[in-house]
Amino acid sequence: MTTGVRAYVGSPVALAWTLLGAAAVGGVVATGWRLVRAVTTWTTLTDPTVLDGLGSVLAWALGSTAVLAVCGAVWLPCSVAIAHAVGGTHRGRPPTGAETARRVASRAEPLYRWVKTRLAVGPLAERLLTEDDVSAAEVAVGCDAFVVPAIALDAPTLPFAVERANRVVPEPGRRQVQFVGVGATATLVAVAWGLGVALGSTLGAGVVSSATLAGGVGVVGLVVTAAVDTAWRAGVYATSDLDEGFSR
């Protein structure tokens, strides 16, 4: 277990923000699921003559994309809070819940500009980015993972955050954290689905929904994976000697 993950497990503030993020993302997924199902049952979309019978498929694709985008937007502040809690713990100053909430609120602008940087690919860059933003080319290879921790811990502006993140020497281990998290989530989803089927057949149809149970477990598993990934990145950033790192 890396130092970042240990700090995450021992931080009540980080764990509380993880629960908040899981609830928020779960609410978005549940609401989006209902809306997409409702839209795909419209007579216009189910008509085989509409879009060569692909109306429902396109609605599912667009709806799923929208749900994922909203989930990402909802999770981002939670990620900043977790990075602040874990990084502060590493630096010997574990923040309180109120301090972390104030830090999240004060970092809205650089976070917004960081999202713009991630979306501004190719021709979009000229339209979306301003002199207060940075371009993707200004972020050193492998250092983009440390921009959010830099925003959470040190930088009130995006250019400053990128400059700090570019000084972190990337370390191996993040892929293993992601692989273990996703693998464990997939295993738990399969177990939850099987449990739902077993309970449904035992207690009667409608008592337990396999899809609902598996979906809930999947959301929680992916949120925890994202939280641990954030903790790993925050730990690496907080323990790096930024004077000895490299910058672009």
Side-chain angles (χ1 to χ4, degrees):
M1 185 184 292
T2 64
T3 55
V5 178
R6 284 198 295 269
Y8 167 75
V9 173
S11 172
V13 174
L15 295 176
W17 276 93
T18 302
L19 291 175
L20 179 62
V25 171
V28 170
V29 171
T31 302
W33 173 261
R34 293 190 185 95
L35 289 175
V36 171
R37 288 190 63 183
V39 169
T40 53
T41 59
W42 289 355
T43 304
T44 302
L45 292 177
T46 56
D47 189 335
T49 63
V50 176
L51 299 175
D52 294 328
L54 296 178
S56 295
V57 176
L58 291 176
W60 272 108
L62 293 174
S64 299
T65 301
V67 169
L68 289 176
V70 175
C71 286
V74 167
W75 172 250
L76 191 56
C78 299
S79 179
V80 173
I82 292 169
H84 183 247
V86 171
T89 300
H90 268 297
R91 292 176 172 179
R93 300 186 301 274
T96 64
E99 290 171 340
T100 298
R102 287 194 295 269
R103 179 58 57 91
V104 171
S106 68
R107 294 302 194 254
E109 182 180 357
L111 277 179
Y112 159 71
R113 296 190 181 281
W114 177 236
V115 171
K116 281 206 302 180
T117 298
R118 305 296 282 176
L119 295 177
V121 179
L124 286 176
E126 297 181 1
R127 294 180 177 274
L128 292 179
L129 300 183
T130 68
E131 60 182 10
D132 294 323
D133 299 313
V134 298
S135 68
E138 295 179 68
V139 186
V141 176
C143 292
D144 57 334
F146 304 107
V147 173
V148 169
I151 290 173
L153 294 170
D154 297 324
T157 66
L158 181 59
F160 185 27
V162 169
E163 193 275 334
R164 298 284 288 179
N166 282 348
R167 294 184 177 275
V168 178
V169 179
E171 296 181 5
R174 186 185 181 193
R175 296 300 181 190
Q176 288 86 335
V177 169
Q178 294 173 335
F179 178 78
V180 170
V182 173
T185 298
T187 301
L188 291 174
V189 166
V191 171
W193 182 276
L195 181 62
V197 171
L199 291 177
S201 62
T202 302
L203 302 177
V207 175
V208 178
S209 171
S210 298
T212 300
L213 185 59
V217 170
V219 167
V220 173
L222 291 177
V223 166
V224 171
T225 299
V228 174
D229 175 66
T230 298
W232 184 91
R233 292 183 285 128
V236 172
Y237 176 86
T239 56
S240 294
D241 185 348
L242 300 183
D243 293 328
E244 295 297 328
F246 66 92
S247 62
R248 196 177 185 86

